Amino acid sequence: MRTISPVKEKEAARIMSATETPAVRTSVAPRPQGTSQEGRHVIQIENFNFFYGSKQALTDIDLRIKERHVTAFIGPSGCGKSTLLRCLNRMNDLIDGIRMTGTITVEGQDIYAPGVDVVDIRKRLGMVFQKSNPFPKSIFENVVYGLRIQGVNNRAVLREACETSLKGAALWEEVKDRLDESALGLSGGQMQRLCIARALAVQPEVVLMDEPCSALDPIATAKIEELIFSLKEKFTIVIVTHNMQQAARVSDETGFFMLGKLVEFGKTDTIFTRPKEKMTEDYITGRFG
Amino acid sequence: MNRFIRSGDPFIWVTGSALAFALLLVAGLLGLVLVSGLGFFWPRSMVEISLADGRKLAGSIEARERIPDPQSGKKTTGSWRFKLKQGNRDLYGSDFVWVDEKDVRERAYPKEIAVIERREWGAFHGRPLKVLEGETVVAEGVDRSWALLIQRLPAALSVYDQARRIEKDELGGINFKKEKIRLKRRSLELKGHSKGSALDALKAEEERLQKLFDKQMEALAALRGTVRTNVVFVSADGQEKQVALTNIVRAYRPNELSFFGRLGLYSSRLWEFVSEDPRESNTEGGVFPAIFGTVMMVFIMSLVVTPFGVLAAFYLREYARQGPFVSAVRIAVNNLAGVPSIVFGVFGLGFFVYIVGGSIDRLFFPEALPSPTYGTGGILWASLTLALLTVPVVIVATEEGLAAVPRGAREASLALGATKFETMWRVVLPAVFPSVLTGLILAMARAAGEVAPLMITGVVKLAPALPIDEFPPFFHLERKFMHLGFHIYDVGFQSPNVEAAQPMVYTTTILLLVVVVALNLTAIIVRNRLSKKLRTSGL
């Protein structure tokens, strides 16, 4: 379980007492002291297969994602990396005609077991999309959307959560004077950070990022990368990216996907400097893909 | 040549002229309607003509044309004729007469010739001779009589208004209550009570109302007795006619009016047109009940059609499993918009009026039977019929709006832990709202102009009371109502006095256009404000 900063704990307690709903997740279970650099595994994917209709999109994926690490999925287009990411918070449920075998467990809970509350899964695994998708509402309302869904309506609680999340997404200084203006007036990079703030506001355990920088210019990309680096302190992050330099810069561990298979998975340093597989090496050195 | 065509220039010309042609048609239509309609209220100069046979006529010239050749029907003969609005329908039998110009010996524009707009028999053209108070003459001579007439007219008008208020509000209210008591008694009798305190109380109440009614009738008679002035007019050809002062709506001498005087008269007549009840089987007076009925019907229809259409579209787009069946349903809905409206009218009559209305009558209003309450055409049934007619428009517009809501917005909401319903309620519905209103605008435009289905589901030529009044339950949705579209048809083609009614057709058309545009503008303004608001704040 992750540590919570004193500020955050206080805020969490306030939210809890204000709403008396346990919906706002605060992982306060005792955390094993002296966690090694290797970290615990938050997500375990075992023998996972995924089909769109008759087409197999993922084949025999086995993968473990470490707590408070950044894990990057790389690979050519259509290799299944985004599909796997979207399986982690069950966003693929929205598509007709899907089928899967194997298990994905989050904190020991099989998320595809019958009776699992999908909404709860999505609260625990926040998501940031390729194309920033703020709601046509004010900046404030965008950030607190998840909390409002959970029934939090106390203005003071929302204000504080908004500030904390925007600070966490390194956006607070830029928007603090115009929280009530439309989010659609922000720049592309700001919108994407707003989407990150929005995901952080519900205090997820894991943040899933689906090519979060692919539509941004280099400066905005650098800001987001910086942000990912700082978010690692508190959150487990899984990022899908096309950009190998980005994967090398931000991630601790990297998985290389090819045609629906996980070709290689390991420490980012190892993958980029001494890949075991020929295919990985070819891809990384730009021989295909 | 080939290069010239490929350059695209001719195509620009073709597309441009197509647009120009369409605009020309619209402008021509509006121009015709506006010129023919708005000129109607302008007080025209009066001409007094002497004919070769010694007759004299006074009136305004409304039209002039070449006399067609009786054999060929072509208008090639050299002589002209004009249409004179001679008024004095009670004396001459008709308002208009065609006069050959070659028969005219003399034309004059005497200042003292007056137009007297009466409540019955249309306008009188002529001069006042004397004013009578009861039997005694109080003024004689054209100028003195005119002065006295103008002086006493406002008081007479106010007495008339008071009398009408008593008739409508006081007497109407008492009659309304009496009818309710009659129905209560009847329902008690139907339940088998022939005696009892309840019946006695009703009887006592009825007697009390009857006394009230008699008292009001006395007051009315007394009020009417206060104006006993009569004016004797003489027409251009010397016929005398006595007119009660209370029977006069307006009196003016068009030839002595200045431009501003005419303008004042014009606006007064225009205001009468939009704010008063019709007179003389709709050929005179105003069309206020028709405006009211049109707007109210459109409102009721909107209230019904919006939720229905939106809910149906949501199911079709968000919940139904897309497949051949849903596609078939969608095609059917689209085709429903193309079904002739009279078919909906027949359905409305058969289903709403006879089946639903008849059942309501049997269940809730058995005491009024055999005269129907809801089992006959009324504004509710007409509105529901139109709602049925326009629901495809709303469904299609909403569906298009739903399809245009970006997937990203839905996914963002779902990824934050919202359920599908919460996502639809908080994200999709606000985003789709402008589309819903667009659909509603189209629906209202269609509904306001529809006449055929209304004719068999509740529109009448002349409705005695508005569907909203001050007697509980205030909204009387079972009542029949008037409608501008039907009014145009009625005035133009069912009127006993076609020529007098003709300008009313145009003026009513203008009014119908204005009402439709006003309703649409309202919806557009609401849409723009809402979408702006939804952009900057949360729900």
Side-chain angles (χ1 to χ4, degrees):
Chain A
M1 295 280 154
R2 66 183 195 266
T3 42
I4 295 165
S5 67
V7 175
K8 225 174 173 146
E9 196 153 13
K10 201 172 123 203
E11 176 219 332
R14 279 190 56 183
I15 293 173
M16 294 285 275
S17 62
T19 64
E20 294 185 338
T21 50
V24 179
R25 187 163 309 278
T26 52
S27 309
V28 288
R31 174 191 161 76
Q33 290 296 306
T35 318
S36 70
Q37 179 64 31
E38 295 301 305
R40 261 170 7 92
H41 291 122
V42 180
I43 301 175
Q44 301 192 21
I45 305 167
E46 278 164 23
N47 201 20
F48 191 74
N49 290 281
F50 186 85
F51 304 85
Y52 290 116
S54 58
K55 182 177 168 287
Q56 185 157 15
L58 293 171
T59 312
D60 295 330
I61 308 290
D62 281 285
L63 191 66
R64 289 162 173 228
I65 288 165
K66 283 181 187 153
E67 186 183 30
R68 290 198 285 142
H69 278 58
V70 177
T71 306
F73 293 170
I74 61 171
S77 296
C79 67
K81 55 194 190 307
S82 282
T83 302
L84 181 61
L85 191 79
R86 294 168 67 91
C87 283
L88 296 181
N89 69 344
R90 294 189 59 171
M91 285 302 278
N92 280 334
D93 289 17
L94 305 173
I95 300 162
D96 277 340
I98 55 155
R99 193 159 57 81
M100 69 212 74
T101 61
T103 55
I104 297 178
T105 56
V106 175
E107 297 283 3
Q109 182 193 17
D110 181 358
I111 61 167
Y112 281 101
V116 167
D117 184 1
V118 184
V119 166
D120 181 62
I121 297 293
R122 294 194 187 134
K123 277 180 206 160
R124 289 164 59 188
L125 290 94
M127 192 160 199
V128 177
F129 296 84
Q130 178 174 2
K131 198 167 171 292
S132 62
N133 48 7
F135 302 120
K137 301 172 183 241
S138 68
I139 294 171
F140 177 78
E141 285 300 330
N142 260 283
V143 177
V144 302
Y145 181 87
L147 296 174
R148 285 217 192 266
I149 289 291
Q150 293 171 11
V152 182
N153 274 316
N154 184 320
R155 190 84 187 160
V157 175
L158 292 178
R159 276 264 162 214
E160 193 167 331
C162 175
E163 183 176 341
T164 317
S165 311
L166 284 172
K167 278 180 178 161
L171 191 60
W172 174 250
E173 290 303 321
E174 292 163 56
V175 300
K176 65 180 175 189
D177 297 324
R178 47 175 177 146
L179 290 177
D180 290 323
E181 283 173 33
S182 170
L184 301 180
L186 296 174
S187 74
Q190 286 173 327
M191 277 197 211
Q192 194 60 295
R193 275 180 283 150
L194 178 69
C195 291
I196 295 174
R198 186 172 67 183
L200 300 183
V202 288
Q203 311 206 342
E205 294 159 31
V206 182
V207 180
L208 309 172
M209 296 184 171
D210 191 356
E211 300 185 34
C213 304
S214 64
L216 300 180
D217 63 71
I219 297 171
T221 303
K223 272 195 178 153
I224 302 264
E225 284 178 9
E226 234 169 80
L227 174 61
I228 292 171
F229 213 76
S230 67
L231 287 177
K232 190 164 82 160
E233 306 278 310
K234 293 176 196 158
F235 302 95
T236 307
I237 293 172
V238 185
I239 179 170
V240 165
T241 179
H242 261 118
N243 181 334
M244 277 174 289
Q245 286 78 20
Q246 186 173 57
R249 281 195 298 268
V250 300
S251 68
D252 302 308
E253 290 192 302
T254 300
F256 170 60
F257 289 78
M258 185 76 197
L259 298 173
K261 287 186 179 130
L262 178 60
V263 176
E264 193 170 350
F265 183 74
K267 288 198 165 195
T268 302
D269 296 345
T270 324
I271 294 275
F272 278 91
T273 53
R274 284 166 276 120
K276 289 196 201 86
E277 303 286 333
K278 175 84 171 53
M279 238 192 276
T280 316
E281 193 181 337
D282 287 351
Y283 181 70
I284 286 166
T285 51
R287 248 166 256 166
F288 73 91
Chain B
M1 185 62 203
N2 201 9
R3 255 184 76 185
F4 176 61
I5 289 177
R6 279 205 343 239
S7 74
D9 286 352
F11 193 61
I12 297 177
W13 280 100
V14 169
T15 50
S17 3
L19 180 67
F21 186 64
L23 288 180
L24 204 70
L25 283 180
V26 173
L29 172 85
L30 283 180
L32 172 75
V33 170
L34 285 176
V35 169
S36 315
L38 290 179
F40 174 53
F41 300 114
W42 189 256
R44 294 210 173 85
S45 295
M46 297 285 286
V47 58
E48 198 171 39
I49 53 177
S50 316
L51 298 178
D53 58 3
R55 273 195 303 149
K56 278 181 123 186
L57 295 170
S60 54
I61 295 173
E62 301 286 325
R64 185 168 179 261
E65 66 174 28
R66 269 180 209 277
I67 300 174
D69 187 55
Q71 262 87 51
S72 65
K74 282 182 193 154
K75 294 185 175 178
T76 48
T77 51
S79 49
W80 291 75
R81 63 178 182 182
F82 56 82
K83 186 162 87 169
L84 189 76
K85 190 180 180 202
Q86 59 178 351
N88 307 10
R89 195 159 72 229
D90 40 352
L91 300 180
Y92 304 146
S94 79
D95 278 312
F96 293 87
V97 65
W98 282 98
V99 180
D100 283 4
E101 285 192 353
K102 63 177 188 332
D103 295 340
V104 177
R105 286 282 166 272
E106 202 185 334
R107 295 191 195 203
Y109 294 87
K111 281 210 179 310
E112 78 281 1
I113 198 145
V115 176
I116 314 297
E117 286 179 20
R118 297 174 292 182
R119 297 191 200 283
E120 286 159 9
W121 296 109
F124 188 92
H125 295 173
R127 300 169 174 82
L129 265 190
K130 54 189 175 186
V131 180
L132 305 171
E133 180 74 37
E135 295 296 317
T136 51
V137 177
V138 287
E140 252 183 308
V142 172
D143 287 327
R144 272 207 215 129
S145 305
W146 179 254
L148 196 64
L149 165 67
I150 292 301
Q151 184 201 338
R152 291 200 177 177
L153 189 56
L157 285 174
S158 106
V159 164
Y160 178 81
D161 282 344
Q162 282 176 42
R164 223 177 55 145
R165 199 194 62 76
I166 291 178
E167 274 177 353
K168 264 192 117 156
D169 296 355
E170 309 290 341
L171 296 179
I174 291 170
N175 276 333
F176 186 78
K177 284 178 195 149
K178 272 168 81 178
E179 173 65 10
K180 278 206 153 167
I181 286 170
R182 188 188 73 79
L183 291 177
K184 264 187 205 158
R185 275 176 61 176
R186 175 97 183 99
S187 91
L188 282 178
E189 281 165 16
L190 283 178
K191 283 177 193 149
H193 304 275
S194 56
K195 281 181 195 140
S197 57
L199 266 177
D200 292 342
L202 286 177
K203 228 171 236 169
E205 176 68 10
E206 202 169 18
E207 275 161 24
R208 193 184 67 80
L209 283 173
Q210 186 58 44
K211 268 181 200 149
L212 216 60
F213 187 84
D214 294 341
K215 232 171 90 183
Q216 289 290 351
M217 283 299 275
E218 276 168 34
L220 191 63
L223 188 67
R224 286 197 170 134
T226 55
V227 181
R228 298 187 300 130
T229 311
N230 285 298
V231 187
V232 178
F233 293 97
V234 60
S235 69
D237 57 350
Q239 297 192 53
E240 286 189 16
K241 180 82 194 171
Q242 184 170 329
V243 180
L245 199 59
T246 46
N247 204 5
I248 296 175
V249 182
R250 206 179 275 115
Y252 55 94
R253 291 169 154 178
N255 291 350
E256 67 171 23
L257 279 177
S258 66
F259 175 76
F260 290 104
R262 283 173 198 238
L263 205 63
L265 201 59
Y266 180 83
S267 26
S268 139
R269 293 172 80 173
L270 193 63
W271 176 244
E272 181 196 13
F273 182 67
V274 296
S275 66
E276 290 289 325
D277 289 348
R279 296 194 309 264
E280 295 279 295
S281 68
N282 294 355
T283 58
E284 282 172 35
V287 294
F288 177 72
I291 301 175
F292 190 90
T294 308
V295 173
M296 183 166 169
M297 184 202 69
V298 169
F299 269 115
I300 298 175
M301 182 222 65
S302 307
L303 285 182
V304 176
V305 80
T306 315
F308 262 107
V310 171
L311 290 176
F314 262 83
Y315 188 83
L316 217 51
R317 175 67 66 175
E318 301 284 318
Y319 287 111
R321 201 185 178 82
Q322 303 299 319
F325 181 68
V326 167
S327 299
V329 168
R330 198 167 280 140
I331 291 170
V333 166
N334 283 331
N335 283 338
L336 209 59
V339 171
S341 53
I342 189 72
V343 176
F344 284 97
V346 172
F347 175 79
L349 180 71
F351 179 69
F352 290 131
V353 176
Y354 291 154
I355 297 182
V356 181
S359 311
I360 291 177
D361 277 0
R362 272 191 299 282
L363 288 173
F364 302 106
F365 304 99
E367 66 275 12
L369 288 173
S371 68
T373 311
Y374 278 93
T376 176
I379 191 164
L380 178 65
W381 302 140
S383 305
L384 288 184
T385 305
L386 283 188
L388 212 60
L389 178 84
T390 51
V391 81
V393 182
V394 178
I395 292 181
V396 169
T398 310
E399 264 214 278
E400 275 167 16
L402 283 174
V405 175
R407 213 178 111 138
R410 297 163 197 263
E411 283 189 338
S413 171
L414 291 169
L416 287 167
T419 61
K420 183 163 185 172
F421 171 73
E422 285 166 332
T423 301
M424 283 203 297
W425 183 248
R426 286 169 183 261
V427 177
V428 179
L429 190 61
V432 87
F433 215 88
S435 305
V436 173
L437 279 172
T438 304
L440 186 61
I441 289 166
L442 293 173
M444 289 200 316
R446 174 141 195 224
E450 204 60 72
V451 178
L454 304 179
M455 287 164 72
I456 48 179
T457 54
V459 154
V460 285
K461 179 188 173 78
L462 188 67
L466 295 177
I468 298 181
D469 60 23
E470 69 269 35
F471 308 119
F474 308 114
F475 291 88
H476 306 277
L477 298 182
E478 81 282 4
R479 281 189 188 164
K480 295 189 186 295
F481 66 109
M482 290 174 72
H483 182 272
L484 282 171
F486 181 73
H487 199 82
I488 293 172
Y489 169 72
D490 176 65
V491 167
F493 304 101
Q494 307 283 297
S495 169
N497 190 356
V498 178
E499 280 181 318
Q502 200 183 15
M504 293 282 276
V505 173
Y506 288 110
T507 41
T508 314
T509 307
I510 296 171
L511 213 54
L512 181 57
L513 288 178
V514 168
V515 167
V516 171
V517 168
L519 285 171
N520 280 351
L521 272 184
T522 317
I524 288 170
I525 290 168
V526 168
R527 177 180 65 182
N528 291 351
R529 291 188 111 183
L530 269 181
S531 46
K532 212 182 263 172
K533 201 174 148 207
L534 292 169
R535 265 175 197 289
T536 49
S537 79
L539 258 186

